PDB file of all heavy atoms in Angstrom:
ATOM      1  N   THR Q  16      58.198  -5.973  60.356  1.00 90.00           N
ATOM      2  CA  THR Q  16      57.138  -4.912  60.401  1.00 90.00           C
ATOM      3  C   THR Q  16      57.560  -3.716  59.586  1.00 90.00           C
ATOM      4  O   THR Q  16      58.745  -3.496  59.282  1.00 90.00           O
ATOM      5  CB  THR Q  16      56.923  -4.451  61.853  1.00 90.00           C
ATOM      6  OG1 THR Q  16      58.100  -3.795  62.320  1.00 90.00           O
ATOM      7  CG2 THR Q  16      56.611  -5.629  62.748  1.00 90.00           C
ATOM      8  N   HIS Q  28      61.145   6.205  59.685  1.00 80.00           N
ATOM      9  CA  HIS Q  28      60.354   5.134  59.092  1.00 80.00           C
ATOM     10  C   HIS Q  28      61.343   4.058  58.590  1.00 80.00           C
ATOM     11  O   HIS Q  28      62.242   4.395  57.798  1.00 80.00           O
ATOM     12  CB  HIS Q  28      59.508   5.671  57.932  1.00 80.00           C
ATOM     13  CG  HIS Q  28      58.477   6.666  58.392  1.00 80.00           C
ATOM     14  ND1 HIS Q  28      57.195   6.326  58.697  1.00 80.00           N
ATOM     15  CD2 HIS Q  28      58.524   8.020  58.555  1.00 80.00           C
ATOM     16  CE1 HIS Q  28      56.499   7.390  59.055  1.00 80.00           C
ATOM     17  NE2 HIS Q  28      57.299   8.439  59.017  1.00 80.00           N
ATOM     18  N   ILE Q  41      72.862 -10.604  63.654  1.00 95.00           N
ATOM     19  CA  ILE Q  41      73.575 -11.873  63.646  1.00 95.00           C
ATOM     20  C   ILE Q  41      74.201 -12.207  62.278  1.00 95.00           C
ATOM     21  O   ILE Q  41      75.010 -13.105  62.148  1.00 95.00           O
ATOM     22  CB  ILE Q  41      72.682 -13.026  64.117  1.00 95.00           C
ATOM     23  CG1 ILE Q  41      73.508 -14.133  64.756  1.00 95.00           C
ATOM     24  CG2 ILE Q  41      71.769 -13.561  62.988  1.00 95.00           C
ATOM     25  CD1 ILE Q  41      72.716 -15.143  65.502  1.00 95.00           C
ATOM     26  N   GLU Q  58      55.598  -5.434  49.961  1.00 93.00           N
ATOM     27  CA  GLU Q  58      56.791  -5.219  50.869  1.00 93.00           C
ATOM     28  C   GLU Q  58      57.861  -6.235  50.633  1.00 93.00           C
ATOM     29  O   GLU Q  58      58.826  -6.349  51.412  1.00 93.00           O
ATOM     30  CB  GLU Q  58      56.331  -5.243  52.322  1.00 93.00           C
ATOM     31  CG  GLU Q  58      55.822  -3.890  52.846  1.00 93.00           C
ATOM     32  CD  GLU Q  58      54.396  -3.651  52.490  1.00 93.00           C
ATOM     33  OE1 GLU Q  58      53.557  -4.559  52.687  1.00 93.00           O
ATOM     34  OE2 GLU Q  58      54.067  -2.494  52.017  1.00 93.00           O
ATOM     35  N   ASP Q  63      64.328  -8.569  49.790  1.00 95.00           N
ATOM     36  CA  ASP Q  63      65.408  -8.489  48.813  1.00 95.00           C
ATOM     37  C   ASP Q  63      66.573  -7.684  49.375  1.00 95.00           C
ATOM     38  O   ASP Q  63      67.736  -7.993  49.126  1.00 95.00           O
ATOM     39  CB  ASP Q  63      64.879  -7.784  47.559  1.00 95.00           C
ATOM     40  CG  ASP Q  63      63.830  -8.603  46.813  1.00 95.00           C
ATOM     41  OD1 ASP Q  63      63.866  -9.842  46.978  1.00 95.00           O
ATOM     42  OD2 ASP Q  63      63.014  -8.012  46.095  1.00 95.00           O
ATOM     43  N   THR Q  95      55.158   3.567  73.993  1.00 81.00           N
ATOM     44  CA  THR Q  95      53.808   3.240  73.657  1.00 81.00           C
ATOM     45  C   THR Q  95      53.736   2.806  72.171  1.00 81.00           C
ATOM     46  O   THR Q  95      54.580   3.202  71.356  1.00 81.00           O
ATOM     47  CB  THR Q  95      52.873   4.436  73.906  1.00 81.00           C
ATOM     48  OG1 THR Q  95      53.355   5.539  73.088  1.00 81.00           O
ATOM     49  CG2 THR Q  95      52.854   4.854  75.351  1.00 81.00           C
ATOM     50  N   ASP Q 112      59.640 -28.129  57.053  1.00 95.00           N
ATOM     51  CA  ASP Q 112      60.871 -28.466  56.450  1.00 95.00           C
ATOM     52  C   ASP Q 112      62.089 -27.798  57.081  1.00 95.00           C
ATOM     53  O   ASP Q 112      63.254 -27.969  56.620  1.00 95.00           O
ATOM     54  CB  ASP Q 112      60.857 -28.137  54.967  1.00 95.00           C
ATOM     55  CG  ASP Q 112      59.892 -29.051  54.213  1.00 95.00           C
ATOM     56  OD1 ASP Q 112      59.609 -30.182  54.659  1.00 95.00           O
ATOM     57  OD2 ASP Q 112      59.365 -28.613  53.145  1.00 95.00           O
ATOM     58  N   ALA Q 137      59.794 -27.689  68.902  1.00 98.00           N
ATOM     59  CA  ALA Q 137      60.507 -28.284  70.117  1.00 98.00           C
ATOM     60  C   ALA Q 137      60.886 -29.744  69.809  1.00 98.00           C
ATOM     61  O   ALA Q 137      61.783 -30.226  70.552  1.00 98.00           O
ATOM     62  CB  ALA Q 137      59.636 -28.146  71.335  1.00 98.00           C
ATOM     63  N   VAL Q 158      47.580  -1.057  71.184  1.00 86.00           N
ATOM     64  CA  VAL Q 158      48.135  -2.264  71.801  1.00 86.00           C
ATOM     65  C   VAL Q 158      47.665  -2.341  73.251  1.00 86.00           C
ATOM     66  O   VAL Q 158      48.003  -1.418  74.054  1.00 86.00           O
ATOM     67  CB  VAL Q 158      49.651  -2.222  71.721  1.00 86.00           C
ATOM     68  CG1 VAL Q 158      50.243  -3.431  72.463  1.00 86.00           C
ATOM     69  CG2 VAL Q 158      50.150  -2.282  70.274  1.00 86.00           C
ATOM     70  N   ILE Q 175      64.617 -21.585  76.099  1.00 98.00           N
ATOM     71  CA  ILE Q 175      65.097 -20.270  76.535  1.00 98.00           C
ATOM     72  C   ILE Q 175      63.984 -19.310  76.401  1.00 98.00           C
ATOM     73  O   ILE Q 175      63.353 -19.167  75.374  1.00 98.00           O
ATOM     74  CB  ILE Q 175      66.317 -19.793  75.684  1.00 98.00           C
ATOM     75  CG1 ILE Q 175      67.449 -20.750  75.773  1.00 98.00           C
ATOM     76  CG2 ILE Q 175      66.753 -18.377  76.125  1.00 98.00           C
ATOM     77  CD1 ILE Q 175      68.625 -20.447  74.841  1.00 98.00           C
ATOM     78  N   MET Q 183      57.606 -10.155  82.855  1.00 98.00           N
ATOM     79  CA  MET Q 183      57.735 -11.175  83.885  1.00 98.00           C
ATOM     80  C   MET Q 183      56.651 -11.014  84.951  1.00 98.00           C
ATOM     81  O   MET Q 183      56.047 -11.987  85.394  1.00 98.00           O
ATOM     82  CB  MET Q 183      59.102 -11.029  84.530  1.00 98.00           C
ATOM     83  CG  MET Q 183      59.368 -12.014  85.714  1.00 98.00           C
ATOM     84  SD  MET Q 183      60.582 -11.407  86.881  1.00 98.00           S
ATOM     85  CE  MET Q 183      59.689 -10.058  87.653  1.00 98.00           C
ATOM     86  N   GLY Q 188      52.964 -12.674  88.214  1.00 97.00           N
ATOM     87  CA  GLY Q 188      52.291 -12.017  89.331  1.00 97.00           C
ATOM     88  C   GLY Q 188      53.236 -11.469  90.362  1.00 97.00           C
ATOM     89  O   GLY Q 188      52.773 -10.955  91.395  1.00 97.00           O
ATOM     90  N   ASN Q 190      56.847  -8.919  91.119  1.00 96.00           N
ATOM     91  CA  ASN Q 190      57.852  -8.027  90.577  1.00 96.00           C
ATOM     92  C   ASN Q 190      59.279  -8.322  91.098  1.00 96.00           C
ATOM     93  O   ASN Q 190      60.198  -7.612  90.850  1.00 96.00           O
ATOM     94  CB  ASN Q 190      57.482  -6.561  90.884  1.00 96.00           C
ATOM     95  CG  ASN Q 190      57.401  -6.266  92.363  1.00 96.00           C
ATOM     96  OD1 ASN Q 190      57.710  -7.119  93.179  1.00 96.00           O
ATOM     97  ND2 ASN Q 190      56.986  -5.075  92.694  1.00 96.00           N
ATOM     98  N   LYS Q 194      62.206 -14.426  92.149  1.00 98.00           N
ATOM     99  CA  LYS Q 194      61.014 -15.292  92.303  1.00 98.00           C
ATOM    100  C   LYS Q 194      60.336 -15.508  90.974  1.00 98.00           C
ATOM    101  O   LYS Q 194      59.845 -16.562  90.666  1.00 98.00           O
ATOM    102  CB  LYS Q 194      60.072 -14.591  93.302  1.00 98.00           C
ATOM    103  CG  LYS Q 194      60.532 -14.644  94.711  1.00 98.00           C
ATOM    104  CD  LYS Q 194      59.503 -13.957  95.634  1.00 98.00           C
ATOM    105  CE  LYS Q 194      59.948 -14.000  97.098  1.00 98.00           C
ATOM    106  NZ  LYS Q 194      59.036 -13.291  97.987  1.00 98.00           N
ATOM    107  N   LYS Q 205      63.970 -23.984  80.608  1.00 98.00           N
ATOM    108  CA  LYS Q 205      65.321 -24.401  81.065  1.00 98.00           C
ATOM    109  C   LYS Q 205      66.216 -23.222  81.336  1.00 98.00           C
ATOM    110  O   LYS Q 205      67.144 -23.287  82.185  1.00 98.00           O
ATOM    111  CB  LYS Q 205      65.929 -25.340  80.015  1.00 98.00           C
ATOM    112  CG  LYS Q 205      65.109 -26.553  79.639  1.00 98.00           C
ATOM    113  CD  LYS Q 205      64.891 -27.442  80.869  1.00 98.00           C
ATOM    114  CE  LYS Q 205      64.157 -28.771  80.502  1.00 98.00           C
ATOM    115  NZ  LYS Q 205      62.798 -28.504  80.007  1.00 98.00           N
ATOM    116  N   VAL Q 237      70.635   6.744  71.373  1.00 65.00           N
ATOM    117  CA  VAL Q 237      69.938   7.311  70.240  1.00 65.00           C
ATOM    118  C   VAL Q 237      68.592   6.630  70.022  1.00 65.00           C
ATOM    119  O   VAL Q 237      67.556   7.305  69.865  1.00 65.00           O
ATOM    120  CB  VAL Q 237      70.791   7.179  68.957  1.00 65.00           C
ATOM    121  CG1 VAL Q 237      70.035   7.667  67.750  1.00 65.00           C
ATOM    122  CG2 VAL Q 237      72.087   7.979  69.165  1.00 65.00           C
ATOM    123  N   PRO Q 260      76.298 -19.248  80.341  1.00 97.00           N
ATOM    124  CA  PRO Q 260      75.337 -18.182  80.416  1.00 97.00           C
ATOM    125  C   PRO Q 260      75.952 -16.774  80.771  1.00 97.00           C
ATOM    126  O   PRO Q 260      75.480 -15.733  80.287  1.00 97.00           O
ATOM    127  CB  PRO Q 260      74.315 -18.615  81.425  1.00 97.00           C
ATOM    128  CG  PRO Q 260      74.391 -20.128  81.305  1.00 97.00           C
ATOM    129  CD  PRO Q 260      75.845 -20.407  81.080  1.00 97.00           C
ATOM    130  N   GLY Q 264      75.703 -13.743  78.307  1.00 97.00           N
ATOM    131  CA  GLY Q 264      74.983 -12.595  78.707  1.00 97.00           C
ATOM    132  C   GLY Q 264      75.795 -11.297  78.606  1.00 97.00           C
ATOM    133  O   GLY Q 264      75.267 -10.273  78.171  1.00 97.00           O
ATOM    134  N   GLY Q 277      73.056   4.040  67.987  1.00 72.00           N
ATOM    135  CA  GLY Q 277      72.613   4.555  66.653  1.00 72.00           C
ATOM    136  C   GLY Q 277      71.223   4.123  66.298  1.00 72.00           C
ATOM    137  O   GLY Q 277      70.637   3.230  66.966  1.00 72.00           O
ATOM    138  N   ASN Q 284      80.150  -6.815  64.036  1.00 94.00           N
ATOM    139  CA  ASN Q 284      80.450  -8.219  64.088  1.00 94.00           C
ATOM    140  C   ASN Q 284      80.932  -8.620  65.456  1.00 94.00           C
ATOM    141  O   ASN Q 284      81.038  -7.818  66.385  1.00 94.00           O
ATOM    142  CB  ASN Q 284      81.489  -8.622  62.974  1.00 94.00           C
ATOM    143  CG  ASN Q 284      82.730  -7.791  63.064  1.00 94.00           C
ATOM    144  OD1 ASN Q 284      83.191  -7.433  64.203  1.00 94.00           O
ATOM    145  ND2 ASN Q 284      83.324  -7.439  61.939  1.00 94.00           N
ATOM    146  N   ALA Q 285      81.322  -9.892  65.593  1.00 94.00           N
ATOM    147  CA  ALA Q 285      81.752 -10.398  66.929  1.00 94.00           C
ATOM    148  C   ALA Q 285      82.992  -9.681  67.429  1.00 94.00           C
ATOM    149  O   ALA Q 285      83.159  -9.448  68.606  1.00 94.00           O
ATOM    150  CB  ALA Q 285      81.960 -11.909  66.824  1.00 94.00           C
ATOM    151  N   ASP Q 287      83.871  -6.590  66.921  1.00 93.00           N
ATOM    152  CA  ASP Q 287      83.507  -5.279  67.460  1.00 93.00           C
ATOM    153  C   ASP Q 287      83.033  -5.439  68.912  1.00 93.00           C
ATOM    154  O   ASP Q 287      83.336  -4.583  69.777  1.00 93.00           O
ATOM    155  CB  ASP Q 287      82.369  -4.680  66.623  1.00 93.00           C
ATOM    156  CG  ASP Q 287      82.813  -4.369  65.214  1.00 93.00           C
ATOM    157  OD1 ASP Q 287      83.986  -4.029  64.989  1.00 93.00           O
ATOM    158  OD2 ASP Q 287      81.984  -4.461  64.268  1.00 93.00           O
ATOM    159  N   HIS Q 296      85.172  -0.755  80.558  1.00 58.00           N
ATOM    160  CA  HIS Q 296      84.927  -1.357  81.851  1.00 58.00           C
ATOM    161  C   HIS Q 296      83.894  -0.578  82.661  1.00 58.00           C
ATOM    162  O   HIS Q 296      83.737  -0.804  83.828  1.00 58.00           O
ATOM    163  CB  HIS Q 296      86.241  -1.370  82.662  1.00 58.00           C
ATOM    164  CG  HIS Q 296      87.353  -2.147  81.968  1.00 58.00           C
ATOM    165  ND1 HIS Q 296      87.281  -3.492  81.796  1.00 58.00           N
ATOM    166  CD2 HIS Q 296      88.444  -1.713  81.328  1.00 58.00           C
ATOM    167  CE1 HIS Q 296      88.344  -3.906  81.120  1.00 58.00           C
ATOM    168  NE2 HIS Q 296      89.058  -2.871  80.834  1.00 58.00           N
ATOM    169  N   ALA Q 304      70.430  -8.407  93.721  1.00 41.00           N
ATOM    170  CA  ALA Q 304      71.061  -9.159  94.795  1.00 41.00           C
ATOM    171  C   ALA Q 304      70.184  -9.274  96.011  1.00 41.00           C
ATOM    172  O   ALA Q 304      69.297  -8.475  96.193  1.00 41.00           O
ATOM    173  CB  ALA Q 304      72.387  -8.473  95.165  1.00 41.00           C
TER     174      ALA Q 304
END
Side-chain angles (χ1 to χ4, degrees):
T16 68
H28 296 267
I41 207 168
E58 275 82 46
D63 294 336
T95 57
D112 294 333
V158 175
I175 299 174
M183 177 205 72
N190 61 5
K194 289 180 180 178
K205 304 298 186 293
V237 175
N284 55 36
D287 296 327
H296 301 292

